[in-house]
Amino acid sequence: MFNQTIKKMRKVIFIIALFIAFSMNAQEKDSIQNYYANSVEKMLSGKPGLAIGGYGEVHYNQPLNKDVKETGVLDLHRYVLFVGYNFSSKTQFVSEIEFEYAKELWVEQMFLQHKINPYINFRAGLLLIPMGIINEYHEPTTFNGVERPIIDNKISPTTWREIGLGFSGNIMPVNMKYQLYVVNGFNGYDATGGIFSGSKTLREGRQKGSKAYLSSPCFTGKLEYYGIKNLNVGVSGYVGKSQSRLFSNLPEDSVVLRKKADSSVVNIAMVGADLRYSYQGLKVTGQLYYTMLGNTKQYNIFTSKNGVYNDLGSAMLGYYAEIGYNVLRLISNIKYELMPFVRYEAYNTHFAVEDIIAKNDKYDNTVITTGLTFTLTNGAVLKTDIQFMKSKADSKYNKVFNAGFGIMF
């Protein structure tokens, strides 16, 4: 069943690629207006020598509940430094070092890139998985809302990075960016037992380049097309198996141990689609993830605790649509930007389940976020919003007020 789904997914991606290719041939060159580049891409395109950049954000989160009084949370959520070195116009190195919650230190990216020709770059190191928008464009000045979209936490586990190698490039004549990597996969089973569940999803399985182990490789890639005026569209994918410590020192001739190890593995196939449209002061963003999980029945049985089955679903779905408008554009000689926005978001980590468990309505959620983004200057923003969150099991929305600022340089 899972292999048939993978074949169907490949056909869908192929059809989409053909459609994009046809659209590219239909566009006039003077319509090419829209091109997005994140901080790393800007650094890689710089002059030879040392390159430094960074971003940071501070948050205030205040639950709004009429029944009980709750304290707000103030958080230096993250402070990030980019340090890179362009050895030449062809060979570059880049790193992203992040301090989270004013106490945790992580390396989010660190890779070496070599330009083989104008259209092909070889990359190796700790790489961002190119799924969706936020995982690559996550600087706080690049998105509305104090917090990142929730589907980029629950479905695509941002910031998602793993060690691997592959190719990337920008084919300017056809207005297409691409990435294709082989990477290590999620840790799905180790000495602590099963890592995945309906509530935790896949997020806790990120290995983040920290003593990561490999029992089978995974593959990921993305196409981004920016040849239609004001529009950027992307199609991304990830496929492979979760990793399991039970494959370590596994005798080749042990059928029993092999079967046990196979029960600790989940087959993962994720497809994503996204779009960004901007016209004068208008900004529209949309994103969708669909994740298919195979072998979940065996995994849930194998990772049972105290006689209770684990509850990892066999499919997850998440999407959002957002619209905003810079109202200060209506006033001449104003260099500031003030963008009211609203985002409708939904995700379900039990979109489908196998027969040993029932769907849990707590995993089927709707989130509405509305607020303001005030841009002081290029690279500095103030943000505020209110989020209305409700699961299918809830009778009313839970509300949270958020405020903060973000910088990028």
Side-chain angles (χ1 to χ4, degrees):
M1 178 67 179
F2 183 79
N3 291 333
Q4 292 177 348
T5 304
I6 292 295
K7 290 180 181 179
K8 290 180 181 179
M9 188 178 77
R10 288 173 179 168
K11 289 180 180 179
V12 171
I13 293 174
F14 178 70
I15 292 171
I16 292 173
L18 287 178
F19 173 77
I20 292 174
F22 176 80
S23 299
M24 290 188 296
N25 291 331
Q27 301 304 311
E28 297 180 1
K29 289 187 177 181
D30 62 2
S31 70
I32 302 168
Q33 300 289 331
N34 212 45
Y35 177 82
Y36 291 90
N38 59 22
S39 298
V40 167
E41 290 175 311
K42 292 175 182 177
M43 292 175 65
L44 292 171
S45 63
K47 297 178 180 179
L50 184 67
I52 297 176
Y55 68 88
E57 51 190 327
V58 175
H59 296 176
Y60 171 59
N61 309 109
Q62 175 63 63
L64 302 175
N65 191 329
K66 292 183 179 180
D67 300 326
V68 296
K69 180 176 176 58
E70 298 185 58
T71 59
V73 176
L74 291 160
D75 183 28
L76 200 167
H77 203 77
R78 53 178 59 90
Y79 179 59
V80 178
L81 289 176
F82 291 103
V83 180
Y85 194 85
N86 293 332
F87 298 98
S88 66
S89 60
K90 287 191 173 183
T91 306
Q92 299 110 345
F93 166 80
V94 68
S95 65
E96 180 180 350
I97 304 167
E98 175 168 320
F99 293 88
E100 285 190 316
Y101 317 117
K103 62 179 181 179
E104 295 181 8
L105 178 63
W106 290 98
V107 177
E108 292 218 334
Q109 295 184 75
M110 193 188 84
F111 63 85
L112 184 68
Q113 173 173 289
H114 181 75
K115 294 182 180 180
I116 298 173
N117 62 40
Y119 307 116
I120 303 175
N121 304 312
F122 172 76
R123 288 182 176 181
L126 184 62
L127 304 167
L128 293 179
I129 304 300
M131 287 296 304
I133 300 172
I134 293 294
N135 206 50
E136 294 187 278
Y137 303 90
H138 49 250
E139 298 88 344
T141 59
T142 62
F143 62 90
N144 289 317
V146 176
E147 303 292 342
R148 297 170 180 177
I150 292 180
I151 64 168
D152 289 294
N153 177 291
K154 297 295 185 180
I155 309 298
S156 176
T158 302
T159 304
W160 184 7
R161 70 275 192 191
E162 301 292 353
I163 291 177
L165 55 84
F167 300 94
S168 69
N170 183 16
I171 308 176
M172 292 290 289
V174 293
N175 318 313
M176 179 77 75
K177 293 167 62 178
Y178 71 90
Q179 298 178 72
L180 184 62
Y181 306 125
V182 55
V183 296
N184 68 267
F186 289 103
N187 170 28
Y189 190 91
D190 58 18
T192 64
I195 308 299
F196 308 140
S197 68
S199 59
K200 294 180 180 179
T201 63
L202 306 176
R203 186 173 183 82
E204 298 299 319
R206 296 174 300 165
Q207 299 200 63
K208 308 177 186 178
S210 178
K211 295 184 179 180
Y213 71 98
L214 177 69
S215 57
S216 62
C218 298
F219 302 89
T220 184
K222 182 172 184 178
L223 294 175
E224 288 187 65
Y225 175 56
Y226 56 91
I228 301 175
K229 188 175 181 180
N230 303 318
L231 178 67
N232 180 286
V233 295
V235 178
S236 50
Y238 174 94
V239 63
K241 296 182 177 182
S242 64
Q243 317 298 289
S244 173
R245 290 286 186 185
L246 295 182
F247 286 98
S248 179
N249 300 316
L250 179 66
E252 291 289 342
D253 59 349
S254 177
V255 177
V256 174
L257 292 179
R258 176 74 191 198
K259 185 177 180 180
K260 181 179 179 181
D262 287 341
S263 296
S264 68
V265 168
V266 174
N267 302 317
I268 303 169
M270 183 185 298
V271 62
D274 59 79
L275 69 85
R276 285 168 285 184
Y277 178 78
S278 59
Y279 179 72
Q280 297 180 356
L282 178 69
K283 182 179 178 181
V284 178
T285 307
Q287 190 167 274
L288 178 144
Y289 296 119
Y290 181 61
T291 304
M292 294 161 285
L293 303 173
N295 201 48
T296 56
K297 182 175 181 178
Q298 291 77 4
Y299 183 84
N300 285 332
I301 294 172
F302 185 73
T303 57
S304 300
K305 291 184 179 180
N306 301 319
V308 178
Y309 291 137
N310 192 4
D311 67 347
L312 179 66
S314 58
M316 300 187 293
L317 176 70
Y319 60 90
Y320 75 77
E322 177 186 299
I323 185 169
Y325 186 78
N326 174 25
V327 295
L328 295 184
R329 189 183 180 279
L330 303 174
I331 305 174
S332 60
N333 300 320
I334 295 291
K335 295 183 179 180
Y336 301 115
E337 291 185 6
L338 179 63
M339 181 171 288
F341 75 94
V342 62
R343 179 170 67 232
Y344 178 86
E345 192 170 3
Y347 68 93
N348 187 353
T349 63
H350 266 187
F351 188 71
V353 298
E354 296 209 57
D355 54 17
I356 64 168
I357 61 173
K359 288 186 177 182
N360 190 334
D361 286 344
K362 290 183 179 180
Y363 301 156
D364 187 354
N365 288 266
T366 300
V367 183
I368 301 171
T369 305
T370 183
L372 299 170
T373 300
F374 184 43
T375 302
L376 301 171
T377 186
N378 185 26
V381 297
L382 302 176
K383 298 181 177 184
T384 184
D385 64 64
I386 295 179
Q387 290 185 299
F388 302 84
M389 298 174 283
K390 180 179 179 295
S391 77
K392 194 174 180 181
D394 296 328
S395 59
K396 61 180 181 179
Y397 283 94
N398 295 308
K399 298 181 286 294
V400 179
F401 170 77
N402 305 301
F405 73 84
I407 55 96
M408 180 177 70
F409 58 89

